[in-house]
Amino acid sequence: MLRQEQHAVLPQSSVNEQARQDFLNQLGKHVLNEITPGNSAAYQRRVLPKIKAEKGREPESRHEIRKEMVRDPYYQMTSSFQRTVQEMMWNSVDDTIQRQLPALIATAKTIREGETLGSLHLDPNFEIPPYIADNDHHCMPGGYSGDLVDDDITAGALYDKGAFIYTQGLFGPRMDGIGKATALMIARTFPDLKPQKILEIGCTAGGSTTGLQMGFPDAELHAIDVGPSVLRYAHARAESMGVAIHFHQMNGEAMTFDDASFDLVNCPASFHEMSRSAVYNVFKEAFRVLKPGGVFLLSELPPYEGADPWTQFVRDWDTYNNNEPFWGALHEMDFADVAEAAGFDRSDYWQGTGPGIAEANQLTGAVEVQNKKFMGSTRGGGQAWYAHMTKRTA
Ligand SMILES: C[S@@+](CC[C@H](N)C(=O)[O-])C[C@H]1O[C@@H](n2cnc3c(N)ncnc32)[C@H](O)[C@@H]1O
């Protein structure tokens, strides 16, 4: 089984804790690969005939399918399994963190107060936006902005260690696969772009940010997030890996960076956690801080458009069952419109499947696990890494 690479603030599991976490990893895989696919049979045998009989036609949207599927006992059972495994997984990681929390906080503080490569800028007056403050995303206890004790690092540790389990190692032993895939995509698409200054919006524990640094080792790297705990953790983690990153507690909707100050802005898997108006605001800010000729890249799972209603329903599981309230709305947004509203030229907008996180990781020798089949996005896996890119031409 692929193991996460140790660094100074990664909570260390005891033998018993590791066994519990491995069990939950395998249980999650079993539920997704062996049990949830039975929903297709439930749909074909019970739900689809009912919809057809009532409407005299095939279902036209995922909403019509969902209305009936939520009443089906097989769907109820599998959703309950998935949700329960997800909660058990986070709790198993949280126990490991809480057992060693004072030591982890002290390590992060020692790193912060010593000689550092990068920096950490927290804002004591910062207001966490409600779409983050009021929700425990993907059932992660405390969400992204939990900050319960002085100098807390729990949210960062939870994400780093828990997301490694629920993505089944897909992001790689350093959790940096999204960053590596992004760097690869930029290098392939814009070979002449040699970014001197890069900004990442929504860095969480800094996994994607360190991956980005591997692709552009000479660039000055800045990363923002809204939660103080994730940022303290991300900073200590990056320093212990020898990577210089400047972390800032900042809202991507209203950044304090100067106009035209970055060559590349990256928003890795973060828009699906934001409200619709926030997505528009962050795009506007990305346009503002980009230099002419600079590129904005965002990555998410593929949009729903073009997928049949059943596939859309399957992909939409997280919206209703995994505390991802913006998931469905995000995956049906037209980013060309959003980009245009932000000031980008529509003809500079591109979307499509990127090199993929697994491919990017294989380049550095870490072959990842993929799910055979799955219901919903939980536990990452199979769906392709998908990018939206736009260049600021003027
Ligand atoms: C799914 S996580 C990103 C994962 C991370 N990029 C990685 O690959 O490891 C989404 C992050 O976006 C952050 N976020 C959401 N809204 C934000 C905003 N308006 N400004 C800055 N960060 C934001 C959340 O706090 C969260 O840490």
Side-chain angles (χ1 to χ4, degrees):
M1 189 181 287
L2 184 77
R3 293 286 181 214
Q4 197 165 358
E5 187 180 303
Q6 193 58 46
H7 55 73
V9 281
L10 184 72
Q12 302 228 29
S13 303
S14 66
V15 172
N16 284 344
E17 288 164 351
Q18 190 63 61
R20 182 178 167 207
Q21 286 151 10
D22 287 349
F23 166 73
L24 289 165
N25 186 350
Q26 294 303 320
L27 183 61
K29 252 190 232 179
H30 179 74
V31 169
L32 281 162
N33 291 340
E34 310 303 333
I35 300 178
T36 61
N39 278 295
S40 300
Y43 176 61
Q44 291 297 336
R45 285 187 205 144
R46 290 190 290 272
V47 173
L48 183 58
K50 185 163 183 271
I51 296 176
K52 278 183 173 169
E54 275 174 13
K55 301 202 180 290
R57 55 164 173 78
E58 297 277 335
E60 284 173 351
S61 73
R62 67 180 191 277
H63 305 291
E64 282 183 4
I65 296 176
R66 185 181 134 71
K67 209 167 145 238
E68 294 303 329
M69 281 298 285
V70 291
R71 299 196 184 113
D72 191 89
Y74 197 86
Y75 180 74
Q76 292 171 348
M77 179 188 74
T78 59
S79 291
S80 162
F81 284 172
Q82 272 181 277
R83 169 80 185 214
T84 305
V85 175
Q86 180 79 339
E87 291 185 3
M88 287 168 76
M89 183 280 295
W90 288 120
N91 290 343
S92 76
V93 174
D94 201 27
D95 283 354
T96 301
I97 297 168
Q98 295 313 314
R99 182 175 56 72
Q100 52 204 298
L101 187 60
L104 292 170
I105 288 176
T107 303
K109 202 167 173 203
T110 305
I111 291 175
R112 214 160 49 235
E113 291 172 355
E115 212 170 293
T116 55
L117 301 164
S119 55
L120 175 67
H121 307 271
L122 298 182
D123 174 359
N125 301 315
F126 188 80
E127 247 180 74
I128 311 274
Y131 49 85
I132 295 296
D134 299 346
N135 185 40
D136 285 0
H137 295 84
H138 40 246
C139 306
M140 189 168 93
Y144 288 114
S145 58
D147 192 37
L148 297 177
V149 295
D150 284 350
D151 293 327
D152 202 3
I153 51 85
T154 305
L158 261 175
Y159 187 84
D160 195 18
K161 201 169 170 73
F164 180 79
I165 298 174
Y166 93 79
T167 57
Q168 297 175 5
L170 178 81
F171 291 175
R174 275 192 163 205
M175 288 295 285
D176 57 3
I178 298 185
K180 281 193 240 164
T182 301
L184 196 58
M185 186 77 184
I186 293 292
R188 279 183 190 171
T189 321
F190 302 101
D192 296 334
L193 182 73
K194 305 282 178 223
Q196 306 288 305
K197 223 174 144 186
I198 302 177
L199 168 65
E200 182 160 281
I201 300 173
C203 59
T204 321
S208 48
T209 333
T210 44
L212 209 52
Q213 191 272 345
M214 283 183 69
F216 304 108
D218 300 326
E220 183 181 308
L221 202 47
H222 293 258
I224 70 161
D225 209 294
V226 296
S229 161
V230 295
L231 288 163
R232 285 186 205 103
Y233 182 90
H235 174 254
R237 176 188 175 280
E239 292 289 330
S240 93
M241 290 177 165
V243 181
I245 302 172
H246 303 284
F247 290 95
H248 311 258
Q249 185 177 20
M250 223 185 262
N251 186 339
E253 295 184 71
M255 298 188 280
T256 55
F257 298 119
D258 289 341
D259 293 358
S261 47
F262 291 95
D263 304 287
L264 174 64
V265 177
N266 180 38
C267 189
S270 299
F271 274 125
H272 68 264
E273 313 289 27
M274 298 183 202
S275 68
R276 186 179 168 82
S277 62
V279 172
Y280 275 84
N281 292 339
V282 171
F283 251 89
K284 276 192 195 129
E285 279 292 88
F287 181 82
R288 182 184 68 76
V289 301
L290 267 179
K291 293 178 192 166
V295 172
F296 179 40
L297 184 149
L298 71 103
S299 46
E300 291 289 339
L301 289 178
Y304 292 163
E305 197 186 346
D308 61 78
W310 168 253
T311 305
Q312 289 194 24
F313 163 75
V314 169
R315 290 199 200 154
D316 210 33
W317 185 85
D318 294 71
T319 308
Y320 299 95
N321 301 291
N322 196 27
N323 286 9
E324 293 286 9
F326 306 108
W327 187 267
L330 187 280
H331 287 97
E332 57 190 11
M333 264 177 116
D334 184 339
F335 282 109
D337 283 351
V338 187
E340 195 171 43
F344 293 99
D345 195 314
R346 206 178 179 89
S347 62
D348 291 322
Y349 169 81
W350 176 94
Q351 64 172 311
T353 304
I357 297 166
E359 184 190 339
N361 268 324
Q362 278 166 25
L363 292 177
T364 55
V367 182
E368 307 309 339
V369 187
Q370 295 241 2
N371 278 320
K372 283 183 285 180
K373 332 157 183 157
F374 64 96
M375 183 94 189
S377 74
T378 315
R379 287 162 191 273
Q383 291 183 36
W385 181 82
Y386 198 88
H388 303 255
M389 285 191 294
T390 181
K391 192 170 179 167
R392 178 174 177 170
T393 38

PDB file of all heavy atoms in Angstrom, residues 353-369:
ATOM      1  N   THR A 353      -9.439  18.017 -20.767  1.00  0.00           N
ATOM      2  CA  THR A 353      -8.758  17.074 -19.887  1.00  0.00           C
ATOM      3  C   THR A 353      -7.255  17.327 -19.916  1.00  0.00           C
ATOM      4  O   THR A 353      -6.662  17.440 -20.986  1.00  0.00           O
ATOM      5  CB  THR A 353      -9.047  15.644 -20.362  1.00  0.00           C
ATOM      6  OG1 THR A 353     -10.462  15.495 -20.384  1.00  0.00           O
ATOM      7  CG2 THR A 353      -8.456  14.620 -19.426  1.00  0.00           C
ATOM      8  N   GLY A 354      -6.676  17.401 -18.750  1.00  0.00           N
ATOM      9  CA  GLY A 354      -5.246  17.658 -18.653  1.00  0.00           C
ATOM     10  C   GLY A 354      -4.447  16.377 -18.617  1.00  0.00           C
ATOM     11  O   GLY A 354      -4.995  15.295 -18.839  1.00  0.00           O
ATOM     12  N   PRO A 355      -3.147  16.473 -18.330  1.00  0.00           N
ATOM     13  CA  PRO A 355      -2.301  15.287 -18.307  1.00  0.00           C
ATOM     14  C   PRO A 355      -2.723  14.297 -17.226  1.00  0.00           C
ATOM     15  O   PRO A 355      -2.416  13.118 -17.316  1.00  0.00           O
ATOM     16  CB  PRO A 355      -0.902  15.853 -18.018  1.00  0.00           C
ATOM     17  CG  PRO A 355      -1.122  17.217 -17.469  1.00  0.00           C
ATOM     18  CD  PRO A 355      -2.409  17.702 -18.038  1.00  0.00           C
ATOM     19  N   GLY A 356      -3.452  14.783 -16.220  1.00  0.00           N
ATOM     20  CA  GLY A 356      -3.921  13.864 -15.183  1.00  0.00           C
ATOM     21  C   GLY A 356      -2.936  13.770 -14.041  1.00  0.00           C
ATOM     22  O   GLY A 356      -1.730  13.802 -14.225  1.00  0.00           O
ATOM     23  N   ILE A 357      -3.502  13.639 -12.863  1.00  0.00           N
ATOM     24  CA  ILE A 357      -2.672  13.632 -11.662  1.00  0.00           C
ATOM     25  C   ILE A 357      -1.831  12.370 -11.619  1.00  0.00           C
ATOM     26  O   ILE A 357      -0.644  12.400 -11.290  1.00  0.00           O
ATOM     27  CB  ILE A 357      -3.570  13.733 -10.415  1.00  0.00           C
ATOM     28  CG1 ILE A 357      -4.301  15.069 -10.451  1.00  0.00           C
ATOM     29  CG2 ILE A 357      -2.747  13.620  -9.153  1.00  0.00           C
ATOM     30  CD1 ILE A 357      -5.437  15.158  -9.493  1.00  0.00           C
ATOM     31  N   ALA A 358      -2.437  11.237 -12.008  1.00  0.00           N
ATOM     32  CA  ALA A 358      -1.685   9.979 -11.976  1.00  0.00           C
ATOM     33  C   ALA A 358      -0.522  10.054 -12.955  1.00  0.00           C
ATOM     34  O   ALA A 358       0.602   9.674 -12.627  1.00  0.00           O
ATOM     35  CB  ALA A 358      -2.594   8.814 -12.305  1.00  0.00           C
ATOM     36  N   GLU A 359      -0.798  10.589 -14.134  1.00  0.00           N
ATOM     37  CA  GLU A 359       0.275  10.698 -15.130  1.00  0.00           C
ATOM     38  C   GLU A 359       1.385  11.610 -14.604  1.00  0.00           C
ATOM     39  O   GLU A 359       2.575  11.285 -14.701  1.00  0.00           O
ATOM     40  CB  GLU A 359      -0.279  11.253 -16.447  1.00  0.00           C
ATOM     41  CG  GLU A 359       0.768  11.290 -17.550  1.00  0.00           C
ATOM     42  CD  GLU A 359       0.311  12.059 -18.792  1.00  0.00           C
ATOM     43  OE1 GLU A 359      -0.892  12.236 -18.994  1.00  0.00           O
ATOM     44  OE2 GLU A 359       1.195  12.486 -19.553  1.00  0.00           O
ATOM     45  N   ALA A 360       0.985  12.732 -14.037  1.00  0.00           N
ATOM     46  CA  ALA A 360       1.980  13.660 -13.512  1.00  0.00           C
ATOM     47  C   ALA A 360       2.804  12.996 -12.425  1.00  0.00           C
ATOM     48  O   ALA A 360       4.014  13.179 -12.332  1.00  0.00           O
ATOM     49  CB  ALA A 360       1.289  14.906 -12.975  1.00  0.00           C
ATOM     50  N   ASN A 361       2.161  12.185 -11.615  1.00  0.00           N
ATOM     51  CA  ASN A 361       2.883  11.507 -10.539  1.00  0.00           C
ATOM     52  C   ASN A 361       3.792  10.415 -11.063  1.00  0.00           C
ATOM     53  O   ASN A 361       4.878  10.205 -10.546  1.00  0.00           O
ATOM     54  CB  ASN A 361       1.906  10.926  -9.525  1.00  0.00           C
ATOM     55  CG  ASN A 361       1.632  11.912  -8.412  1.00  0.00           C
ATOM     56  OD1 ASN A 361       2.528  12.625  -8.008  1.00  0.00           O
ATOM     57  ND2 ASN A 361       0.412  11.950  -7.948  1.00  0.00           N
ATOM     58  N   GLN A 362       3.336   9.729 -12.089  1.00  0.00           N
ATOM     59  CA  GLN A 362       4.168   8.665 -12.649  1.00  0.00           C
ATOM     60  C   GLN A 362       5.490   9.223 -13.157  1.00  0.00           C
ATOM     61  O   GLN A 362       6.497   8.548 -13.154  1.00  0.00           O
ATOM     62  CB  GLN A 362       3.433   7.949 -13.784  1.00  0.00           C
ATOM     63  CG  GLN A 362       2.465   6.901 -13.256  1.00  0.00           C
ATOM     64  CD  GLN A 362       1.507   6.421 -14.311  1.00  0.00           C
ATOM     65  OE1 GLN A 362       1.784   6.488 -15.484  1.00  0.00           O
ATOM     66  NE2 GLN A 362       0.355   5.937 -13.871  1.00  0.00           N
ATOM     67  N   LEU A 363       5.433  10.499 -13.584  1.00  0.00           N
ATOM     68  CA  LEU A 363       6.657  11.097 -14.086  1.00  0.00           C
ATOM     69  C   LEU A 363       7.732  11.154 -13.009  1.00  0.00           C
ATOM     70  O   LEU A 363       8.906  11.170 -13.288  1.00  0.00           O
ATOM     71  CB  LEU A 363       6.379  12.518 -14.596  1.00  0.00           C
ATOM     72  CG  LEU A 363       5.518  12.579 -15.853  1.00  0.00           C
ATOM     73  CD1 LEU A 363       5.263  14.018 -16.219  1.00  0.00           C
ATOM     74  CD2 LEU A 363       6.202  11.865 -17.011  1.00  0.00           C
ATOM     75  N   THR A 364       7.284  11.180 -11.760  1.00  0.00           N
ATOM     76  CA  THR A 364       8.284  11.184 -10.701  1.00  0.00           C
ATOM     77  C   THR A 364       8.311   9.823  -9.993  1.00  0.00           C
ATOM     78  O   THR A 364       8.771   9.704  -8.874  1.00  0.00           O
ATOM     79  CB  THR A 364       8.009  12.295  -9.682  1.00  0.00           C
ATOM     80  OG1 THR A 364       6.692  12.129  -9.209  1.00  0.00           O
ATOM     81  CG2 THR A 364       8.180  13.661 -10.274  1.00  0.00           C
ATOM     82  N   GLY A 365       7.765   8.826 -10.647  1.00  0.00           N
ATOM     83  CA  GLY A 365       7.947   7.463 -10.148  1.00  0.00           C
ATOM     84  C   GLY A 365       6.916   6.952  -9.161  1.00  0.00           C
ATOM     85  O   GLY A 365       7.051   5.854  -8.648  1.00  0.00           O
ATOM     86  N   ALA A 366       5.873   7.734  -8.873  1.00  0.00           N
ATOM     87  CA  ALA A 366       4.882   7.256  -7.906  1.00  0.00           C
ATOM     88  C   ALA A 366       3.599   6.854  -8.635  1.00  0.00           C
ATOM     89  O   ALA A 366       2.799   7.689  -8.999  1.00  0.00           O
ATOM     90  CB  ALA A 366       4.583   8.346  -6.890  1.00  0.00           C
ATOM     91  N   VAL A 367       3.422   5.584  -8.867  1.00  0.00           N
ATOM     92  CA  VAL A 367       2.251   5.097  -9.598  1.00  0.00           C
ATOM     93  C   VAL A 367       1.069   5.023  -8.639  1.00  0.00           C
ATOM     94  O   VAL A 367       1.192   4.513  -7.542  1.00  0.00           O
ATOM     95  CB  VAL A 367       2.522   3.709 -10.206  1.00  0.00           C
ATOM     96  CG1 VAL A 367       1.320   3.220 -11.003  1.00  0.00           C
ATOM     97  CG2 VAL A 367       3.751   3.763 -11.096  1.00  0.00           C
ATOM     98  N   GLU A 368      -0.054   5.571  -9.074  1.00  0.00           N
ATOM     99  CA  GLU A 368      -1.171   5.701  -8.148  1.00  0.00           C
ATOM    100  C   GLU A 368      -2.306   4.714  -8.396  1.00  0.00           C
ATOM    101  O   GLU A 368      -2.410   4.111  -9.450  1.00  0.00           O
ATOM    102  CB  GLU A 368      -1.734   7.130  -8.241  1.00  0.00           C
ATOM    103  CG  GLU A 368      -0.692   8.196  -8.054  1.00  0.00           C
ATOM    104  CD  GLU A 368       0.148   8.002  -6.808  1.00  0.00           C
ATOM    105  OE1 GLU A 368      -0.295   7.304  -5.881  1.00  0.00           O
ATOM    106  OE2 GLU A 368       1.267   8.525  -6.774  1.00  0.00           O
ATOM    107  N   VAL A 369      -3.141   4.618  -7.409  1.00  0.00           N
ATOM    108  CA  VAL A 369      -4.281   3.718  -7.461  1.00  0.00           C
ATOM    109  C   VAL A 369      -5.460   4.433  -8.112  1.00  0.00           C
ATOM    110  O   VAL A 369      -5.653   5.610  -7.901  1.00  0.00           O
ATOM    111  CB  VAL A 369      -4.725   3.372  -6.018  1.00  0.00           C
ATOM    112  CG1 VAL A 369      -5.808   2.308  -6.005  1.00  0.00           C
ATOM    113  CG2 VAL A 369      -3.536   2.975  -5.197  1.00  0.00           C
TER     114      VAL A 369
END
